[in-house]
Amino acid sequence: SANMQLGLEMSRSLYLDLIAKGLPIASEILNPMATQYFDDLLSWGAIGARTSESQIHREISSLLPYSIGFKNGTDGSVQIALDAIQSASHAHQFMGMGQNGHPAILHSPGNPLAHLILRGANSGSNYQLSEIEKIRAKFKDHAPALVIDCSHGNSHKDPMRQPEVLMQIVAERHLSQVRGVMLE
């Protein structure tokens, strides 16, 4: 317990130091209980492939004051993330922690900045222009903004392949309209 408290304090202090140097902070939103401790410091957040289906992560995302991306499922399913984007963009009422640290009913306005993160699948990649065009074909004029995670399935879990993935994304950017990339 004391170690966790110290870790939270050190993390917040580090975030504040980095922000003071002019560096924006991004993070994966893993633990819903820690979100409110850092949400005033983050500029961008991601919901991972295994938590994009989580209702509490969708509800919390609808409350966050910054842009939030939802990763496609580990099986490659993009529909999971698209459903999460739709849910997070709407208002919710849900149980959470109030400003005083006690349980409370939270009211969210919906997050208009929710977007899709393509991370590939256990069986292969999905960053190619042909894959992006299939996703965009499901929409008329309302396709979500798109970020590509160059790791995971998109690099076949080989960190040395991430530069190759990035080069292709950059080369096709004028057609794919990718707004950002993630590198590990």
Side-chain angles (χ1 to χ4, degrees):
S1 174
N3 287 340
M4 185 176 285
Q5 179 67 32
L6 179 61
L8 287 170
E9 291 171 8
M10 289 175 65
S11 295
R12 187 163 176 88
S13 178
L14 174 61
Y15 281 10
L16 288 168
D17 288 346
L18 292 170
I19 290 168
K21 294 180 186 320
L23 184 66
I25 305 292
S27 182
E28 183 170 353
I29 309 304
L30 290 172
N31 186 325
M33 297 302 290
T35 303
Q36 288 182 309
Y37 193 71
F38 297 110
D39 67 0
D40 62 321
L41 303 178
L42 298 178
S43 298
W44 181 83
I47 303 295
R50 290 164 194 84
T51 50
S52 281
E53 279 190 287
S54 163
Q55 185 60 26
I56 189 65
H57 283 83
R58 292 174 178 194
E59 291 167 344
I60 286 171
S61 296
S62 73
L63 183 63
L64 295 175
Y66 48 80
S67 185
I68 188 85
F70 289 89
K71 291 187 178 186
N72 65 268
T74 57
D75 66 351
S77 171
V78 175
Q79 193 60 49
I80 291 166
L82 296 175
D83 292 345
I85 291 166
Q86 183 177 12
S87 177
S89 68
H90 290 91
H92 290 274
Q93 289 184 1
F94 59 98
M95 289 291 297
M97 184 173 37
Q99 291 296 328
N100 60 4
H102 297 287
I105 301 292
L106 303 178
H107 302 267
S108 67
N111 189 331
L113 303 173
H115 56 275
L116 176 61
I117 302 172
L118 294 180
R119 48 100 56 210
N122 291 335
S123 59
S125 58
N126 63 359
Y127 67 90
Q128 301 86 347
L129 183 59
S130 60
E131 293 297 317
I132 293 169
E133 287 174 342
K134 287 178 195 174
I135 294 166
R136 292 206 186 278
K138 293 180 178 185
F139 301 90
K140 295 194 179 184
D141 297 327
H142 303 340
L146 182 60
V147 171
I148 307 288
D149 186 337
C150 295
S151 61
H152 305 293
N154 281 334
S155 65
H156 303 281
K157 298 184 180 181
D158 179 355
M160 302 313 291
R161 294 188 69 189
Q162 289 186 54
E164 169 190 327
V165 173
L166 178 62
M167 297 289 281
Q168 184 173 343
I169 293 166
V170 170
E172 296 174 343
R173 185 177 185 279
H174 66 287
L175 298 171
S176 68
Q177 301 176 354
V178 169
R179 299 238 181 126
V181 295
M182 296 173 67
L183 297 165
E184 289 186 16

